[in-house]
């Protein structure tokens, strides 16, 4: 009785139930989800491939009445095993941002952008671009596109622009991330074909990461590294002590851009020790002898690719360990240990990302990695490979089907046979397929400078922020007669410059396929309504075709899936042949499918023979009646490459000095790169999520080594000024040992970063070298800040107080 | 050229817009596991949660493997999505630790949520008993519907765990996904970590409590564990060097200003002060006549009432505040509310006697008003002392709060007397000058001590070379091949430098070697005990914190500081001095204005002092991220 009274008094005084408590109640979500918030209980779920990076994680979108309300990573997707990084978890949030473009916007005479209807927008689009073409030639209108849109849209855009609108010069922001890998593979293997599957992370016994901060850039790939049961050596080669370097068993903090010399030095050492897989080299490669000669003699005259700048021929013994040690900053003992680790591994895999791709001699560096894999026979077997970890979610789709630098399906514009084939498949007049190559991104920008490009159509990229030496780009944008920007947001730095803004639907608001880093074709679905009158890029291209008057040419390009069928036809007979994929439904049910998968693939493709027991059982768990492609498929298990002779090539070249080395006036080397896993590129999307914003520094910051900070009297938190020959910015200092003396690091996500970067390009891939330029660092005194800002003409005040590093040719 | 464009043909646009609005995923792609109840992810997290409930004396705890954590921060977003939190609400956060040497830099990501403490400060401080520690699992639950949104738990928790939800007017916090755990589902953070770095373990409460010494902290840079006895364990096999510090170690950011609390504290103290002065100077006021007494007492009561009313503006759900007495056993806030409630009613009763004589001895009533008021002020002091923040120590808070009480009491008495044309003892004006001078002087001294502490510690701090070398040597075992310092390294990399110019000297032992860790589990070493070596000792931590407060006060908040001293000295010294002079020369026409001005400036000065009391406090916290 008393107890009951006490209980009822307690329940009167302490409210355990009510609306506020209810708000957080969890209930079974069904669909294998476990518990979910009661408020957000789905009535259905569907898997959508993530639209940020190239990992290509499966996201299980929780739906109510067909509309996405929440998401969790998909457990049974072969890529991510139920994991995602913060961007994936927050993928739906940026769709609801209030700065979405909801109607076309036209810049009026008063200089302001104002809404117009689609009909007017499309008429103006056609009229202005046609007028420019009439006056300056068809090639005076160009486009810059994105690795963030689906393959079907890329192909439509590329075909429409080149076969319908008469454009010649088209490129994409994939130039900023993957051009190097594409060119390197194409030259070495005969086709742009990253050979690996993510299972290789788990099967290696030695993993070598070069210029890759996988922990932060591709967290769910790192998961696979940690699942490796072979107690692997994890080797990281990176100037910075990155998160990945921290997690590694061996870290080699080389001087920036000394990677090519390092890799050649390792190759030479391996050859000298005869740690070479000679049978493999003999049987499956060419040019090894020339490479050996190049390394052993001097590396000067024997190169089978001549350097565009012959001024810097290395002296005899350039790749001796002593010299390599001098250039890289590593000790001879460290170099030996590194070489031994590679030699001792039974399954060695090499992985590279932007640290390699964004360099002034990037293609040769990537190929130096490929050379190491080839000469040690580490390719085609589980846990091996020279593996480029791609950047954007659909950079791989772009490489095959953007119709920019390569003709559709990885073909060549310069080859008449290729042009005819494409014309035949698409029922085009063969003359409508350009017989010349497109300019690369930097050449298009240069084209604006010399008035050969007068109209530009930018789709889903933020050049005004991301382009190297952005101030120059922003200056040149003013010279364009007509700039159209097609984007999800009307607030991007680039959209603010546009004459016409076309509102685009984003990831999750449209259908199509992405191809991830391991060549897996995955499906993107429409799970959310686009705001206002925003249209998918696909539908915008349909409109453009109609208004341009070439709708008839693209009458079969009715839907993304119809285009997917066209792409299958285009891929047939190519190394990337995926004509064996029936339709989207098959892709969806298989959890994505890696190319190649030719027709009649069942049991035929060599890739399907290399199947891990786990992958098999995973397959078995899914389907019992019909055959299904293996969930983990790698290339070259038969040692046959895509060159006509079936052999891979050793490619090499004399290393060159940094285009802009530190000097007295600009004594520091600026490294740029990814800041955190919660940030993506120019942050047009990741800045729209409150949760993601809590996970990265909102303000631009500069990592500087403790010894330099001591000399400059800079402490963490203080404002510093960074200047290069191109710009001057301020940021907050973070004093650390993670960057080496003489170097500073600034994440690429902040709008100011690329005011500093130096526009140099790899000669083969034309990829910008974001990773190194000369800068000066100065402390800003709080009280002097105003005065300081007025003083725009003063010379950089910090003189070299220490011998600069990073210039290996001194 | 333009014939092909047909502006009168809107159907394509309409068709495409309609197509865009159709959601196709469900109809086109069916899901295979439509009604699957068992979570698909269970196969990956099965080993990361305990198989059985804790036994008596045990509880659940988070365990974080710092070596496995790669810094991806998925745990934060997963917690947010899987718990359906508000857009800007997070229950888990991520910071980082940095240190080491040029040759062997070290940084670690530290993910943190509620530590489900053995002795939870949030629970102890809650005035309405909105917290419960589950008797079986040890999980610290928050009863959302019980919460009145006073945010005192936010101040009490040294780990920034309770999150105030402005729209709902309550705080909410991590409950270790207790409803998931109940059905053998892993908490959101555990499920979502790609590297299996977070798991739930069962720990012995007594063992945790015994292991927690005055020097314990869960990771370097975390608050002292002996306050709440947190249960989370951070493991690492790699030794953290002696100079390891949080990325936000030098962060200077003003804390929340809490204007309602500023007003409440100052006005209640003014009110109590006035009654105190009246009691002390009884003879003075008795001579002033009943009308003066009525007015004076009413003013004192009104100030108190205003203060108490202001305090409700601080509450997210003021209508539920009547429950605030519930926590009196442990919560100083509860006690403060009770005593000020009593005080207010007694004061009202005392005033009533001025009109309607009551059969209670007057002196007894007066004494009880003063005593309850002073206890109320003492409770106010303890509310802040109990948060264990340096700036809110008993000495500092006590001196400020009681200083304000007496100062404003005197200032108000002087002003009221002079305005009403009563004669006032010069003694009272002199007292005001002396009290003001003393309080301002003392505050200035505290400030300069804080500033000086910075200089002296910076000077005292010895270079970390020696310690760092120890760390390097020890770390080499587990990190493969550390670059050789000097020798082949480029110039500069072999040298060691301090990461922070204001480092403190530490014990030279970098860490306890592996294998000698006190948990004896044979797993990777747990940090709590060994990292006590890294902790600033109590004096150093206090000095650092005082220094940070002084930096805020002389930096970002310098104008508030200047205003505080200007108001204080004008109102408490210059104006009263002038009053003395004027009364001396009998220039009485300026007296009322000057006396009101004096009081207003004193009040403004104290409000500013209290504003700085809140904004310059350095709250203890887990290691934060870069420039959050």
């Amino acid at each position: 009785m008393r107890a009951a009274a006490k209980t009822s008094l307690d329940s009167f005084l302490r409210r355990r139930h009510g609306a506020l408590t209810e708000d957080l109640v969890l209930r079974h979500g069904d669909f294998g989800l476990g518990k979910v918030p009661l408020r957000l209980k789905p009535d259905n779920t569907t898997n959508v491939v993530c639209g940020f990076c190239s990992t290509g994680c499966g996201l299980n979108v929780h739906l109510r009445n067909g509309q996405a309300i929440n998401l969790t990573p998909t457990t049974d997707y072969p890529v991510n095993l139920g994991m995602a990084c913060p961007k994936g978890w927050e993928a739906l949030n940026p769709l609801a941002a209030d700065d979405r473009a909801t109607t076309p916007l036209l810049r009026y005479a008063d200089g302001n952008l104002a809404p117009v209807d689609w009909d007017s927008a499309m008429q103006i689009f056609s009229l202005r671009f046609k007028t420019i073409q009439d006056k300056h030639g068809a090639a005076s209108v160009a486009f810059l596109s994105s690795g963030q849109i689906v393959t079907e849209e890329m192909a439509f855009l590329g075909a429409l622009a080149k076969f319908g609108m008469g454009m010649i010069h088209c490129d994409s922001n994939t130039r900023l991330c993957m051009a190097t890998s594409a060119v390197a593979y194409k030259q070495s293997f005969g086709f742009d074909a990253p050979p690996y599957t993510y299972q290789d992370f788990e099967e290696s016994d030695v993993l070598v990461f070069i210029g890759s901060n996988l922990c932060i850039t591709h967290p769910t790939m790192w998961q696979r590294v940690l699942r490796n049961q072979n107690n692997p050596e994890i080797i990281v080669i990176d100037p910075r002590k990155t998160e990945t370097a921290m997690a590694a068993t061996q870290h080699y903090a080389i001087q920036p851009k000394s990677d090519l010399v390092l890799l050649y030095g390792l190759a030479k050492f391996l050859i000298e020790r005869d740690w070479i897989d000679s049978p493999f080299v003999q049987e499956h490669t060419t040019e090894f002898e020339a490479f050996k000669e190049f390394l052993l003699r001097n590396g000067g005259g024997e190169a089978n690719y001549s350097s565009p700048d012959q001024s810097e021929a290395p002296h005899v013994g350039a790749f001796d360990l002593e010299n390599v040690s001098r250039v890289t900053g590593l000790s001879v003992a460290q170099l030996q240990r590194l070489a031994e680790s590679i030699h001792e591994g039974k399954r060695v895999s090499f992985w590279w990302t932007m640290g390699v791709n964004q360099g002034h001699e990037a293609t040769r560096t990537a190929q130096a990695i490929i050379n190491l894999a080839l000469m040690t026979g580490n390719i085609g077997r589980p846990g091996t490979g020279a593996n480029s970890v791609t950047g954007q979610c659909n950079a791989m789709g772009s490489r095959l089907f953007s119709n920019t630098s390569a003709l559709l399906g990885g073909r060549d514009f310069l080859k008449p046979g290729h042009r005819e084939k494409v014309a035949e498949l698409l029922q085009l007049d063969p003359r409508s397929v350009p017989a010349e190559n497109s300019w690369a991104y930097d050449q298009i920008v240069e084209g604006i400078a010399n008035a050969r490009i007068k109209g530009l159509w930018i789709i889903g990229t933020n050049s005004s922020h991301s382009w190297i030496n952005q101030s120059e780009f922003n200056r040149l944008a003013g010279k364009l007669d007509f700039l159209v920007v097609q984007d999800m947001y009307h607030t991007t730095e680039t959209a603010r410059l546009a004459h016409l803004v076309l509102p685009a639907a984003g990831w999750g608001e449209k259908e199509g396929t992405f191809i991830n880093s391991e060549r897996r074709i995955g499906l993107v679905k429409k799970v959310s309504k686009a705001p206002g009158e925003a249209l998918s890029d696909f539908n915008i291209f349909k409109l453009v075709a109609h208004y341009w008057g070439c709708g008839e040419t693209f009458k079969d390009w009715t839907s993304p899936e119809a285009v997917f069928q066209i792409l299958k036809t285009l891929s047939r007979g190519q190394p990337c042949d995926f004509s064996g994929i029936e339709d989207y439904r098959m892709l969806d049910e298989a959890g994505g499918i890696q190319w190649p998968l030719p027709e009649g693939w069942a049991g035929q493709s060599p890739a399907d023979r290399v199947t891990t027991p786990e992958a098999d059982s995973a397959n078995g768990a899914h389907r019992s009646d019909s055959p299904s492609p293996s969930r983990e498929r790698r290339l070259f298990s038969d040692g046959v490459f895509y060159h006509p002779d079936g052999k891979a090539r050793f490619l090499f070249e004399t290393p060159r000095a940094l285009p802009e080395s530190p000097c007295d006036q600009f004594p520091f080397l600026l490294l740029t790169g990814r800041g955190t896993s919660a940030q993506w590129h120019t942050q047009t999307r990741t800045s729209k999520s409150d949760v993601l914003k809590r996970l990265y520094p909102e303000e631009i910051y500069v990592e500087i080594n403790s010894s330099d900070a001591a000399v400059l009297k800079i402490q963490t938190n203080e404002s510093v000024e960074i200047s290069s020959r191109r710009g001057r910015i301020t940021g907050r200092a973070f004093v650390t040992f993670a960057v080496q003396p003489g170097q500073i690091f600034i994440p690429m996500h902040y709008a100011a970063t690329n005011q500093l970067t130096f526009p140099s390009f790899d000669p083969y891939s034309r990829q910008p070298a974001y990773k190194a330029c000369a800068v000066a660092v100065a402390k800003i005194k709080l009280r002097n800040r105003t005065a300081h800002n007025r003083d725009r003409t003063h010379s950089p005040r910090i003189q070299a107080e220490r011998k600069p590093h990073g210039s290996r040719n001194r | 050229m333009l014939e092909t464009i047909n502006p009168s043909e809107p159907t394509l646009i309409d068709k495409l817009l309609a197509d865009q609005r159709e959601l196709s995923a469900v109809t086109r792609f069916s899901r295979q596991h439509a009604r699957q109840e068992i979570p698909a992810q269970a196969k990956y997290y099965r080993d990361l949660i305990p198989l059985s409930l804790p036994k008596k004396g045990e509880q659940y705890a988070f365990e974080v493997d710092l070596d496995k954590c790669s810094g991806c921060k998925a745990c934060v977003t997963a917690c947010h999505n899987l718990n359906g939190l508000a857009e800007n609400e997070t229950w888990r956060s991520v910071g980082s630790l940095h240190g080491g040497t040029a040759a062997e830099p070290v940084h670690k990501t530290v993910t943190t949520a509620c530590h489900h403490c053995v002795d939870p400060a949030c629970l102890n401080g809650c005035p309405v008993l909105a917290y419960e520690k589950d008797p079986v699992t040890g999980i610290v639950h928050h009863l959302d519907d019980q919460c009145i949104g006073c945010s005192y738990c936010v101040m009490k928790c040294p780990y920034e765990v309770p999150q105030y939800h402005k729209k709902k007017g309550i705080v909410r916090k991590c409950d270790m996904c207790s409803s998931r755990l109940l059905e053998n589902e892993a908490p959101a953070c555990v499920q979502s970590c790609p590297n299996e770095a977070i798991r739930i373990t069962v720990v012995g409460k007594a063992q945790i409590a015994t292991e927690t010494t005055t020097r314990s902290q869960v990771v370097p840079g975390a608050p002292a564990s002996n306050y709440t006895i947190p249960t989370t364990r951070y493991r690492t096999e790699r030794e953290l060097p002696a100079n390891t510090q949080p990325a936000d170690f030098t962060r200077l950011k003003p804390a929340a200003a809490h204007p309602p609390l500023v007003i409440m504290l100052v006005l209640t103290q003014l009110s109590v002060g006035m009654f105190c002065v009246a009691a002390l100077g009884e003879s003075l006021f008795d001579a002033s006549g009943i009308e003066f007494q009525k007015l004076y007492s009413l003013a004192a009561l009104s100030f108190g009432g205003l203060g108490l009313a202001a305090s409700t503006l601080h509450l997210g759900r003021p209508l539920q505040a009547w429950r605030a007495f519930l926590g009196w056993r442990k919560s100083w806030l509860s006690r403060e509310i009770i005593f000020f409630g009593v005080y207010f009613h007694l004061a009202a009763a005392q005033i009533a006697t001025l009109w309607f004589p009551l059969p209670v001895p007057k002196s007894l009533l007066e004494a009880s008003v003063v005593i309850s008021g002073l206890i109320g002020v003492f409770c106010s002091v303890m509310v802040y002392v109990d948060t264990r923040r340096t700036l809110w120590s008993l000495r500092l808070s006590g001196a400020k709060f009681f200083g304000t009480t007496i100062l404003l009491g005197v200032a108000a008495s002087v002003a009221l007397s002079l305005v009403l044309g009563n004669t006032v003892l010069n003694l009272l004006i002199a007292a005001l000058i002396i009290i003001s001078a003393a309080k301002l002087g003392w505050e200035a001294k505290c400030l300069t001590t804080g500033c000086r502490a910075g200089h002296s510690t910076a000077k005292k701090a010895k270079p970390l070379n020696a310690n760092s070398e120890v760390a390097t040597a020890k770390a080499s075992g587990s990190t493969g091949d550390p670059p050789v310092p000097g020798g082949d390294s480029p110039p500069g990399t072999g040298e060691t430098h301090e990461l922070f110019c204001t480092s403190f000297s530490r014990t030279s032992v970098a860490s306890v070697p592996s294998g000698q860790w006190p948990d004896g589990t044979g797993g990777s070493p747990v940090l709590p005990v060994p990292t006590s070596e890294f902790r600033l000792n109590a004096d150093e931590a206090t000095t650092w914190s005082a220094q940070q407060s002084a930096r805020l006060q002389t930096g970002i908040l310098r104008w508030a500081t200047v205003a505080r001293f200007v108001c204080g000295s004008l109102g408490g010294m210059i104006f009263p001095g002038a009053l003395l002079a004027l009364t001396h020369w009998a220039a009485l026409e300026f007296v009322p204005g000057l006396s009101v001005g004096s009081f207003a400036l004193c009040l403004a000065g104290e409000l500013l002092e209290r504003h700085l009391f809140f904004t310059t406090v350095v709250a203890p916290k887990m290691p934060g991220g870069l420039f959050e």
Side-chain angles (χ1 to χ4, degrees), chain B residues 9 94 295 467:
Chain B
E9 164 67 271
V94 171
L295 205 66
N467 295 352

Side-chain angles (χ1 to χ4, degrees), chain B residues 203-219:
Chain B
V203 297
K205 283 189 248 191
Q207 194 200 344
I208 294 260
T210 357
E211 279 172 13
T212 305
T213 67
T214 51
R215 300 174 62 78
S216 303
Q217 50 187 168
V218 289
V219 284

Side-chain angles (χ1 to χ4, degrees), chain A residues 548-567:
Chain A
W548 195 273
C550 56
E552 193 56 26
T553 314
F554 298 98
K555 63 178 190 304
D556 295 336
W557 300 53
T558 51
S559 67
E561 188 153 16
V563 172
F564 183 76
Q565 296 299 338
I566 296 171
L567 300 184

